[in-house]
Amino acid sequence: MSSYSENMAATGTEAKDLENHHNDCCIQLSNPNIATMKEDVLYHFNLSTSTHDFPAMFGDVKFVCVGGSSSRMNTFIKYVAAELGLDHPGKEYPNICAGTDRYAMYKVGPVLSVSHGMGIPSIGIMLHELIKMLYHARCSNITIIRIGTSGGIGLEPGSVVITQQAVDECFKPEFEQIVLGKRVIRNTNLDAQLVQELAQCSSDLNEFPTVVGNTMCTLDFYEGQGRLDGALCSYTERDKQAYLRAAHAAGVRNIEMESSVFATMCSACGLRAAVVCVTLLDRLQGDQINTPHDVLVEYQQRPQRLVGHFIKKSLGKA
């Protein structure tokens, strides 16, 4: 395979051409340093611009779906392949990031499926490298969707939530990060039109309850989400109920741990983005997930079916 750095060295005039090219596309890195780098090593993907031809590998990508576990994203790529008529008996989908165990990445046709681990730090690292990878691949008109699980607030288990706005633990549409010792606050806007398109796709399917609502993103699964069953707990059931009901009154319909940084980074780089999560329980009714395994497996397939239908419809194959 020819060296990407030899063909697309981002130096001098070529760097300027590359920058101008991406100004015409959806992906706009908010970092002027990238265009002057001779090599960009995507360490956690085990990929590099000097050893991999990103335009050849990923240039045709139009849909990127990200989710927590590698097994779930492998299942998703197989599902999408079958739905798009790109699968055949014995076909395998190798992990493009096989040289590392941090993340997994799979591709079929115009669809990329990537795992992001659990929590803001893990998905944040992945997104930095994913967005740069798509930039180097000269991708355009990308739609990126997080598919995952969550805890619902006032919803029946198995309900799917399409996120209208990602909010923090105080119900504010903000993502705060410490950069060089200073607090930086960015918005958590998602693509409103994409939300409506996904809601319509759910209506088309008519297979499971779906709502559009705010998603609260927390830094923790236990105290950060008001659970009573962690190793530490300094509040009562009454305190918890008051907090969750206040969240519901603020429009929050589910809780997870990735949506805020996902929305922030995608918005900052001009990516059309959405979050689609199934609820595994109603947090107003309890904290622990004790639903039978086979039922949970079916629940987790619901966002995949919804997003799969969206991709088929977008490609004119529905």
Side-chain angles (χ1 to χ4, degrees), residues 47 66 74 94 120 127 130 137 141 185 195 199 206 241 258 276 314:
L47 300 173
V66 302
N74 180 257
I120 286 174
L127 285 171
L130 173 65
N141 301 316
I185 297 177
V195 169
N206 194 30
Q241 289 290 331
E258 293 86 17
V276 180
S314 299

Side-chain angles (χ1 to χ4, degrees), residues 192-267:
Q193 180 61 36
L194 181 54
V195 169
Q196 295 307 312
E197 291 175 19
L198 288 164
Q200 182 58 53
C201 284
S202 182
S203 296
D204 295 345
L205 291 175
N206 194 30
E207 295 179 0
F208 39 77
T210 302
V211 301
V212 173
N214 293 344
T215 295
M216 183 166 69
C217 182
T218 69
L219 296 174
D220 170 53
F221 184 80
Y222 288 96
E223 287 186 297
Q225 297 186 8
R227 277 184 161 82
L228 299 169
D229 60 339
L232 304 176
C233 183
S234 58
Y235 44 84
T236 66
E237 170 71 22
R238 183 176 180 179
D239 296 331
K240 165 197 156 181
Q241 289 290 331
Y243 177 66
L244 293 180
R245 293 185 185 283
H248 189 273
V252 175
R253 294 297 176 265
N254 65 331
I255 311 172
E256 44 86 273
M257 297 187 290
E258 293 86 17
S259 60
S260 62
V261 68
F262 174 82
T264 290
M265 293 186 67
C266 291
S267 175

Side-chain angles (χ1 to χ4, degrees), residues 11-297:
T11 59
T13 303
E14 290 175 325
K16 189 65 177 177
D17 290 343
L18 186 61
E19 183 177 2
N20 290 337
H21 168 80
H22 284 287
N23 285 339
D24 295 333
C25 299
C26 298
I27 301 172
Q28 304 154 3
L29 298 187
S30 298
N31 181 1
N33 300 304
I34 301 300
T36 63
M37 293 170 58
K38 294 181 179 180
E39 178 186 16
D40 195 359
V41 177
L42 308 185
Y43 172 72
H44 301 88
F45 284 168
N46 194 39
L47 300 173
S48 169
T49 56
S50 68
T51 57
H52 297 79
D53 187 341
F54 285 9
M57 294 172 67
F58 307 110
D60 63 339
V61 169
K62 295 298 179 185
F63 304 95
V64 180
C65 297
V66 302
S69 73
S70 58
S71 61
R72 189 184 305 159
M73 300 321 292
N74 180 257
T75 298
F76 178 71
I77 205 67
K78 293 176 180 177
Y79 173 75
V80 168
E83 288 293 294
L84 298 182
L86 300 175
D87 194 22
H88 58 77
K91 184 174 178 60
E92 296 184 359
Y93 303 93
N95 178 10
I96 299 170
C97 300
T100 176
D101 59 0
R102 295 292 183 183
Y103 304 107
M105 181 186 299
Y106 308 96
K107 183 181 183 297
V108 65
V111 182
L112 196 66
S113 177
V114 190
S115 69
H116 59 60
M118 186 183 297
I120 286 174
S122 185
I123 192 175
I125 293 168
M126 187 281 293
L127 285 171
H128 275 284
E129 299 188 10
L130 173 65
I131 294 171
K132 289 197 300 173
M133 185 188 81
L134 297 172
Y135 172 88
H136 290 306
R138 300 188 240 169
C139 294
S140 62
N141 301 316
I142 294 288
T143 296
I144 180 169
I145 303 175
R146 166 170 142 68
I147 53 177
T149 59
S150 63
I153 302 181
L155 298 176
E156 285 295 317
S159 300
V160 171
V161 179
I162 302 170
T163 303
Q164 177 172 285
Q165 182 80 58
V167 301
D168 66 12
E169 299 93 330
C170 297
F171 321 139
K172 295 179 180 179
E174 300 174 346
F175 173 65
E176 179 181 303
Q177 187 171 17
I178 304 300
V179 179
L180 300 181
K182 299 178 181 179
R183 285 183 171 83
V184 176
I185 297 177
R186 299 184 173 106
N187 72 64
T188 56
N189 295 333
L190 291 161
D191 190 285
Q193 180 61 36
L194 181 54
V195 169
Q196 295 307 312
E197 291 175 19
L198 288 164
Q200 182 58 53
C201 284
S202 182
S203 296
D204 295 345
L205 291 175
N206 194 30
E207 295 179 0
F208 39 77
T210 302
V211 301
V212 173
N214 293 344
T215 295
M216 183 166 69
C217 182
T218 69
L219 296 174
D220 170 53
F221 184 80
Y222 288 96
E223 287 186 297
Q225 297 186 8
R227 277 184 161 82
L228 299 169
D229 60 339
L232 304 176
C233 183
S234 58
Y235 44 84
T236 66
E237 170 71 22
R238 183 176 180 179
D239 296 331
K240 165 197 156 181
Q241 289 290 331
Y243 177 66
L244 293 180
R245 293 185 185 283
H248 189 273
V252 175
R253 294 297 176 265
N254 65 331
I255 311 172
E256 44 86 273
M257 297 187 290
E258 293 86 17
S259 60
S260 62
V261 68
F262 174 82
T264 290
M265 293 186 67
C266 291
S267 175
C269 295
L271 288 166
R272 191 170 183 245
V275 178
V276 180
C277 289
V278 68
T279 61
L280 301 184
L281 76 167
D282 180 359
R283 287 296 317 289
L284 292 173
Q285 304 301 319
D287 295 333
Q288 297 204 331
I289 301 169
N290 50 24
T291 305
H293 177 72
D294 59 333
V295 176
L296 289 177
V297 169

